[in-house]
Amino acid sequence: MDTIALSPVSFHGVTVTAQSGPVIEATGSATTFENCDFQVTTTTSNTHFAATAVAVSWDGTAVIKGGTYASTGYGVYVYSSGGTITVEDGVVQGGVAAVKADVDDTYGTPSTVKIHGGEISGALNTNGNTKADIEVSGGIFDHDVTANVVPSVARDGAFATLTSGGTTKYYVGTPEKVASDLARTAKENDVIKLQQGSVNLSGFSVHVKVENEGGTLTLDGEPVQQGSTATAHVFGTAWQYDGTNHWHACSTCDARKDLAAHTSDAGTITSAGEKTYRCTTCGAVLKTEVISAPAYVVPKTGDSSNVPLWLSLMALAAAGMGAATLLMKKEGWAR
C-alpha cells in the first residue's frame, strides 16, 4: 500500500502477512500505527527495501505506538528521498536490519529514525550519509547501540547491558524505565552492567550479578561503587524473627529487609489457663502468662434479708410454746 502526499492515515489493530513489501509506504503523508501485526516473509537480494514492514518516502512520517513489525529485510525503512519514523513502543524486527535510513543528496531531505521505546531486534543501519540519522533515547536492543544513543540520554538517562547465556542486550531510557525493564527480564545468573545514569535496582525474583561500570548504582538499597560487583538479593516471603524484631531474609546471605520491632496483640486465653501474646505482624509468640484460679465461694441459698425480724419471730414462737404448756397443765390437760 502507498499513501498519497499530505493524506493522514491511521492503522489500529491491522494484521498483514505479505511475501513482499513495503506493507505500507507513507509517501509524503503522516501515518500512525498502533497494535498492528505486519509480517513480510521473503526478500529479494540487494533490494531489501522491497521487503519492509513500514517505510516512508518524500518527507513522509510514521509513528509506531505498539504492535509487531517484522521482515526478512528491513523492519522499518526511510527511503533516500527522506522522511522520519518514530518508534514509541512495540516490536521491530529485521533479518537484514531492524532499522535502515538512506539519503540521496539529490533530494537534500534528511532521513531520520527516532527510537523512544519498544524492543528492537536487528541492526541499526544508514547508508553513511551525514543526513541519515538514527537516534536512540529508549528501548531494548539486541545490537550494540552505543553510537546511536542521543546526548540527552548520556546526560539525564540510563544505559545498561544485560548478558544472558552469552547474548547481550542493551537497555536505554529513563533510570526508572531501565530499572523496571531489567527487573522484569533478568533471569537466574544473568549479568547486568550499568554504563551510565543513576539507577536504583531492586525487585529481582532470581539471583543476578550487577556491575557498576560508569554510573551511580544502588542495588536493594545498598550502593555499588564504580568498578564493583554485587549480587541481587532474593528475599523469602516467610517472616523470620527473634525475641525483638522480625524481617524477610535473603536465601543466600545474611541480608534482611522489612526489619521492624514486634507489636503485641491483646493476648488470647487458652483452655489450659494461659494467656498468649503474639506479634500482630509476624505471629511470633512474645510471652505467655499463667492465669490464677479465682477463690472458691460457697453459693448462697434461701432469703438472708431482715435477719433481726426472723430472730424475733423465733423468740416469740418459743415463748408462745412455753405459755401454752403451762396453760395445759393448769387446766388438767396434761397427763
Side-chain angles (χ1 to χ4, degrees), residues 109-130:
T109 303
S111 294
T112 305
V113 180
K114 300 178 180 180
I115 305 174
H116 300 320
E119 297 188 25
I120 314 300
S121 178
L124 310 183
N125 291 340
T126 72
N127 66 343
N129 193 298
T130 57

Side-chain angles (χ1 to χ4, degrees), residues 35-323:
N35 299 325
C36 297
D37 186 359
F38 291 177
Q39 304 282 337
V40 182
T41 58
T42 61
T43 184
T44 303
S45 177
N46 298 322
T47 56
H48 305 304
F49 62 87
T52 298
V54 173
V56 300
S57 61
W58 296 104
D59 210 22
T61 64
V63 179
I64 296 175
K65 296 185 176 182
T68 299
Y69 308 85
S71 171
T72 52
Y74 301 143
V76 298
Y77 176 62
V78 182
Y79 279 84
S80 58
S81 57
T84 302
I85 297 176
T86 302
V87 181
E88 296 182 356
D89 200 0
V91 176
V92 176
Q93 299 174 342
V96 177
V99 175
K100 178 67 182 292
D102 282 345
V103 166
D104 187 333
D105 286 328
T106 302
Y107 306 108
T109 303
S111 294
T112 305
V113 180
K114 300 178 180 180
I115 305 174
H116 300 320
E119 297 188 25
I120 314 300
S121 178
L124 310 183
N125 291 340
T126 72
N127 66 343
N129 193 298
T130 57
K131 291 183 179 180
D133 187 30
I134 299 175
E135 301 177 357
V136 172
S137 61
I140 302 174
F141 304 82
D142 67 354
H143 280 62
D144 189 354
V145 294
T146 304
N148 306 106
V149 175
V150 296
S152 63
V153 174
R155 291 194 304 268
D156 306 318
F159 184 23
T161 63
L162 185 149
T163 302
S164 178
T167 300
T168 299
K169 289 191 174 183
Y170 301 80
Y171 291 66
V172 183
T174 66
E176 296 78 13
K177 179 63 171 155
V178 169
S180 64
D181 283 344
L182 288 170
R184 174 177 56 86
T185 58
K187 299 180 179 62
E188 185 79 22
N189 297 322
D190 285 355
V191 178
I192 294 172
K193 295 182 179 182
L194 179 65
Q195 309 297 326
Q196 64 186 40
S198 179
V199 178
N200 298 318
L201 293 177
S202 63
F204 292 98
S205 59
V206 292
H207 295 101
V208 176
K209 291 183 179 179
V210 177
E211 300 179 17
N212 185 359
E213 292 193 342
T216 302
L217 177 62
T218 300
L219 177 62
D220 295 321
E222 301 174 0
V224 180
Q225 301 300 322
Q226 289 191 12
S228 299
T229 302
T231 301
H233 300 301
V234 179
F235 294 100
T237 57
W239 285 106
Q240 307 295 318
Y241 53 83
D242 56 21
T244 305
N245 301 309
H246 51 248
W247 62 87
H248 288 113
C250 178
S251 60
T252 59
C253 68
D254 296 330
R256 302 176 177 183
K257 75 168 185 176
D258 304 322
L259 178 67
H262 294 304
T263 55
S264 178
D265 62 11
T268 301
I269 299 176
T270 67
S271 58
E274 295 178 342
K275 192 171 186 178
T276 300
Y277 297 84
R278 293 181 177 272
C279 175
T280 58
T281 300
C282 67
V285 175
L286 303 181
K287 66 177 181 177
T288 300
E289 294 179 345
V290 177
I291 302 175
S292 301
Y296 180 73
V297 178
V298 178
K300 297 180 180 180
T301 59
D303 187 359
S304 61
S305 63
N306 212 348
V307 175
L309 174 62
W310 292 112
L311 293 175
S312 299
L313 290 175
M314 290 174 63
L316 290 174
M321 290 177 63

